[in-house]
Amino acid sequence: MKGIFRTTVLIAILLAGITAALFLHPLMIRAADSDLPIYLEDSTILLKTQTVKGVLYLPLADIVKNLSLPYTNDTSQEAFTVRGSNSQVVMTRNSASISVNNQVTQLSSPVLHDNGTWLVPMEFLQLGLSRVTATEFRRRAGAPRVFAGGVKAAELTMISQTQAALTRLTLRTSTPVTLQLKRETAQHRAILVFAPKPVDPVRENLDFKDRLVQSINFNDSDGSPKVIVEVSDDVSDVRMLSADENRVHFVDFLRKTEATQAAPPQAAPGPAASAADPRRQDGASTTATPARTVSTSTTGTIGIRVIVIDPGHGGTDSGVSAMDGLEKDLTLAIARKLRTTLQSQLGATVLLTRDSDVPLTSEARAAVANNNRADLFVSLHIGYSANKSDLSSSVYVIQENFAAAELATKEKGQRLFLPWYLGYAKNRPLSMKVAGILSEELGKSLPGWTFPVRSGPVAVLASTTMPAILIEVGNLNNPASTQALLDAAFQTRFSATVAGAIERLSAPRQPDK
Amino acid sequence: MNTIPRHLKIGVVLIAIAGIISAGYFVGVVGRIRSMVREQETTSNPFVAPTAPLFSSADPPADVKIFFPPGSGMSILSAEHRTIFKSGELSNRVKQILQIVVDGPMTKEFLPAVPKDTKLQEVFISNDGVLFVDFSSALSVNHPGGMINEQATIYSIVDSILYNLPEIHQVKILIGGTEQETLAGHCLLLLPLEMDLSITSEEEGTHAN
């Protein structure tokens, strides 16, 4: 009997221990403190956050003190009450239920009280505090900052791109901001400080790394919004240009050896450029047109300054295939050649939608061109015809009036925004002109090959807001054609012809109308 | 016998009872799962419509033009003359035409437009004359790719329907029961498509019917 009693007691102690451990478990796992700013209309509060068991917690006392809200901290009842003008929120230790004006609201994580500090999960701001203060608290999912009430934050998007002798970081904000560039050479950093605050970045950091730039991170944990760029030893100079009435900022990191040869940034592009681009006639940016450092040629007559080349397919999507070649590899090889040729012949800024073997949606490809305000979009594809002897290639433009009728009948013109896949509409006539010239030049330069202009519901062209075409070259079902496409000399010749045609186009365009 | 303590006896008896109960429960659960599986096997799927003939012997024949990629020449599609039976039901005429497209051309002059193993799954015609047609996923999975090829496949379906059946104004293609962005990476399928005779050797305004 004595033995059983002892075993029972041991088991009971063990169970109690496990229960206690489970109970205390959330309090044991803690991460280091970090700062989170809450932007109010006239001030900014900085809160020391704590991560407990993967949940972000805020110190409750600091919030109410900063907002000057009356509160009661009842240690005997283990309850904390915050009062507003005619409302109150009551929280109890280790309970996810909070009482808002005597109605129970459920938080996803419990309120904690530990060492005299009350901690509340982030959503307390929306579910509890907003009811007491009658102020809305907004937070982008996962972002370490909160905006209160009528605070208007400038939405920030960042794009970075490796170019010939420099790396360009483009910062685009929804409202005008001024940027101050601070160079910390010793720490290998460049800091871009925003004014006025607050700033609401779409993403906290840019997944980008090249020879010049190590990392690009947004940080406002001290209440002052800034972008911190870690640079390598190869950077000789950092230059900044503002455009579009301070809504766009270009930050160029120049490479050491070639910095002396790089053309200095020119603030005013030729008048032909702004007149030639129909998108800039809407009055949005006629006063401060972006100055693009590399794209201004010596003659000043170039209308095409940014070209986006889209190597078709990629990643799991190989496109069409032959025994010894895949479309995705061929398009990338040709696109790279075309980039080099265009950069040297036109001095244009040339961007690829993909520079590695990755899959992209049609929308993502069009977005690269739209976001970089490209003047021309060229999608490269390789053909495959069921007819083995077929040697025709094509230059595609989007179908005339594609989707327009469909939308017109359904919405009767009462449209506030242009649907994404109608982006092509304004520039279709120009696209036709581009296709015509490319078809002519390619036909001339490559004997035996034809490049008729065709139109179709091409997905990648539908949402581009600039002249856009798709070239489908060759037939991978034809051995001779495949052989030519795999031949580096043919690829060079093809890209030289395309570049030549674009050069012919880029003579000053007549403004439409 | 007296060497075994009493509490051990009680313990063994308790474990035995627990064992019997759990064994019984397990048998019951297994039995229930079996009967559920059997039930599922025997009941017919209520979501599959019973198959009915697409036309009756009384229906008059009608000539239609079905668009296939030609074996030679520059146009993307060319018309092959075929016959369907004029069933009173519009969806039956739609299905007959699409079945010809799926089965492929009769003569060597033309090439098949639709990849092999593609099945026509279902059609639905809305009140405003939009045909929703659902093909099995082979339409996109087995597709060799290429812009022209893709355009040929899509407009073989769209033009063959819209040219021969003026009651229908637009065709929306679904694959595997769902909406797809493109067929094989080129042609946008998110919106209903209209007839495009510019890619065929046919002239505009020579509609049948």
Side-chain angles (χ1 to χ4, degrees):
Chain A
M1 273 320 264
K2 209 175 177 185
I4 299 173
F5 180 70
R6 201 183 294 157
T7 321
T8 318
V9 169
L10 272 175
I11 290 172
I13 291 171
L14 202 67
L15 280 174
I18 293 170
T19 318
L22 283 174
F23 187 67
L24 291 172
H25 179 67
L27 298 175
M28 287 174 181
I29 310 169
R30 293 211 164 188
D33 294 357
S34 63
D35 279 330
L36 175 131
I38 297 185
Y39 294 99
L40 306 172
E41 274 178 63
D42 43 6
S43 62
T44 307
I45 314 174
L46 287 179
L47 296 174
K48 283 244 177 280
T49 61
Q50 282 189 42
T51 311
V52 182
K53 219 186 153 193
V55 179
L56 199 63
Y57 276 91
L58 303 174
L60 181 56
D62 290 356
I63 301 174
V64 291
K65 277 177 199 158
N66 275 303
L67 292 173
S68 325
L69 291 170
Y71 67 96
T72 341
N73 183 359
D74 187 345
T75 33
S76 63
Q77 298 277 320
E78 299 214 307
F80 193 104
T81 311
V82 185
R83 288 192 185 78
S85 50
N86 48 10
S87 54
Q88 64 168 22
V89 184
V90 185
M91 283 140 285
T92 348
R93 181 186 172 182
N94 291 335
S95 166
S97 310
I98 59 169
S99 154
V100 184
N101 299 335
N102 298 324
Q103 281 186 328
V104 176
T105 301
Q106 206 68 27
L107 304 177
S108 62
S109 313
V111 174
L112 304 177
H113 183 208
D114 178 37
N115 295 334
T117 317
W118 283 86
L119 296 173
V120 285
M122 279 296 287
E123 56 186 352
F124 166 74
L125 296 177
Q126 283 106 40
L127 297 175
L129 196 63
S130 61
R131 308 274 288 275
V132 183
T133 55
T135 314
E136 188 199 358
F137 291 92
R138 301 183 305 275
R139 176 178 174 236
R140 197 180 278 278
R145 71 191 60 77
V146 175
F147 304 103
V151 171
K152 285 194 175 61
E155 192 178 86
L156 168 73
T157 44
M158 303 188 274
I159 303 164
S160 195
Q161 197 95 33
T162 310
Q163 294 174 7
L166 54 89
T167 298
R168 170 168 286 185
L169 169 65
T170 309
L171 304 172
R172 202 177 284 276
T173 48
S174 56
T175 51
V177 293
T178 53
L179 266 188
Q180 195 197 343
L181 173 68
K182 285 186 202 159
R183 187 100 195 268
E184 293 181 358
T185 322
Q187 281 98 15
H188 292 294
R189 289 203 300 190
I191 300 177
L192 302 150
V193 185
F194 288 83
K197 47 187 193 177
V199 174
D200 178 20
V202 175
R203 281 162 67 199
E204 298 299 312
N205 46 48
L206 211 53
D207 188 13
F208 179 86
K209 193 174 180 216
D210 68 0
R211 211 174 122 184
L212 301 177
V213 169
Q214 303 292 315
S215 69
I216 301 167
N217 293 299
F218 182 87
N219 189 310
D220 63 347
S221 60
D222 59 352
S224 153
K226 56 195 165 297
V227 170
I228 301 171
V229 184
E230 292 193 351
V231 296
S232 72
D233 284 336
D234 289 346
V235 173
S236 67
D237 198 7
V238 184
R239 290 175 188 175
M240 201 175 70
L241 285 162
S242 305
D244 203 2
E245 287 161 344
N246 281 337
R247 283 187 194 88
V248 180
H249 297 267
F250 299 103
V251 187
D252 289 347
F253 300 88
L254 304 175
R255 198 189 288 170
K256 238 172 209 166
T257 46
E258 282 142 280
T260 44
Q261 296 152 21
Q266 292 179 10
S274 53
D277 191 337
R279 278 172 297 117
R280 298 204 178 93
Q281 290 178 352
D282 52 14
S285 61
T286 39
T287 48
T289 324
R292 301 182 198 204
T293 46
V294 216
S295 58
T296 324
S297 86
T298 45
T299 56
T301 55
I302 283 176
I304 296 176
R305 292 163 299 155
V306 179
I307 303 168
V308 168
I309 300 167
D310 168 43
H313 307 276
T316 48
D317 168 21
S318 308
V320 296
S321 55
M323 284 289 280
D324 28 6
L326 295 176
E327 182 178 5
K328 61 171 184 177
D329 300 329
L330 288 169
T331 53
L332 184 56
I334 297 174
R336 284 177 176 154
K337 285 204 159 83
L338 185 54
R339 173 173 61 187
T340 315
T341 320
L342 284 170
Q343 275 171 345
S344 57
Q345 278 187 19
L346 270 84
T349 302
V350 184
L351 310 173
L352 300 190
T353 53
R354 65 176 179 99
D355 202 357
S356 57
D357 188 17
V358 290
L360 283 177
T361 62
S362 301
E363 290 191 355
R365 292 168 197 270
V368 172
N370 292 350
N371 290 342
N372 286 289
R373 297 210 167 183
D375 300 302
L376 181 65
F377 178 81
V378 178
S379 185
L380 291 174
H381 284 255
I382 308 292
Y384 183 99
S385 171
N387 177 5
K388 255 193 173 157
S389 59
D390 187 5
L391 275 177
S392 71
S393 305
S394 329
V395 181
Y396 266 95
V397 289
I398 187 111
Q399 226 167 34
E400 198 174 2
N401 293 327
F402 174 69
E406 158 79 4
L407 289 154
T409 51
K410 291 210 168 139
E411 299 177 22
K412 298 186 180 78
Q414 306 227 327
R415 193 185 302 133
L416 197 56
F417 300 102
L418 191 69
W420 179 242
Y421 32 72
L422 276 184
Y424 77 89
K426 204 168 175 180
N427 287 296
R428 195 185 175 274
L430 265 177
S431 301
M432 278 301 284
K433 188 185 161 194
V434 174
I437 290 180
L438 273 167
S439 161
E440 191 187 319
E441 295 285 329
L442 282 165
K444 262 195 275 179
S445 152
L446 304 169
W449 294 64
T450 53
F451 286 83
V453 177
R454 301 184 204 262
S455 65
V458 191
V460 76
L461 304 182
S463 21
T464 50
T465 55
M466 70 288 308
I469 52 120
L470 178 147
I471 307 177
E472 190 173 71
V473 54
N475 175 7
L476 279 194
N477 199 16
N478 178 296
S481 179
T482 310
Q483 225 37 56
L485 287 166
L486 288 164
D487 178 18
F490 175 86
Q491 292 178 1
T492 309
R493 193 154 165 213
F494 174 80
S495 38
T497 311
V498 174
I502 293 174
E503 200 173 0
R504 191 180 138 190
L505 271 162
S506 62
R509 278 187 242 144
Q510 297 303 309
D512 341 280
K513 282 176 206 178
Chain B
M1 282 302 278
N2 282 341
T3 50
I4 301 169
R6 200 178 157 207
H7 65 266
L8 264 186
K9 280 187 196 164
I10 295 170
V12 168
V13 169
L14 280 176
I15 290 169
I17 292 171
I20 291 165
I21 291 172
S22 50
Y25 182 71
F26 181 70
V27 168
V29 167
V30 169
R32 215 180 315 157
I33 292 171
R34 280 213 183 128
S35 67
M36 272 160 73
V37 170
R38 225 173 293 135
E39 215 171 288
Q40 218 165 40
E41 280 166 358
T42 48
T43 345
S44 61
N45 185 350
F47 297 104
V48 174
T51 44
L54 294 180
F55 53 88
S56 74
S57 52
D59 292 336
D63 285 338
V64 288
K65 282 184 179 176
I66 305 294
F67 293 91
F68 288 111
S72 60
M74 287 297 285
S75 64
I76 296 177
L77 292 172
S78 240
E80 189 185 37
H81 292 267
R82 302 287 289 264
T83 311
I84 60 163
F85 291 92
K86 259 190 156 172
S87 162
E89 193 71 38
L90 179 60
S91 66
N92 283 349
R93 277 177 275 156
V94 166
K95 282 182 185 170
Q96 288 183 63
I97 289 176
L98 290 174
Q99 201 53 54
I100 297 176
V101 172
V102 168
D103 292 342
M106 294 266 269
T107 58
K108 287 240 167 93
E109 237 178 282
F110 302 95
L111 300 165
V114 166
K116 70 173 173 58
D117 299 334
T118 304
K119 284 188 179 61
L120 170 65
Q121 300 198 140
E122 201 45 79
V123 301
F124 170 79
I125 302 159
S126 75
N127 287 338
D128 50 354
V130 181
L131 167 70
F132 292 79
V133 51
D134 180 27
F135 290 96
S136 64
S137 53
L139 182 70
S140 119
V141 176
N142 293 351
H143 201 278
M147 178 64 212
I148 291 198
N149 257 341
E150 212 173 303
Q151 204 180 3
T153 306
I154 289 170
Y155 281 95
S156 171
I157 297 163
V158 173
D159 286 353
S160 296
I161 289 289
L162 297 181
Y163 187 88
N164 298 298
L165 303 171
E167 299 94 322
I168 297 172
H169 310 300
Q170 288 178 322
V171 178
K172 162 103 187 176
I173 298 172
L174 306 173
I175 298 167
T178 56
E179 203 172 46
Q180 282 206 2
E181 195 207 4
T182 62
L183 178 58
H186 302 92
C187 288
L188 196 69
L189 291 184
L190 292 178
L191 299 165
L193 295 167
E194 283 168 23
M195 181 155 68
D196 183 4
L197 290 182
S198 70
I199 58 165
T200 69
S201 49
E202 220 47 48
E203 272 173 38
E204 205 84 46
T206 51
H207 276 228
N209 293 8

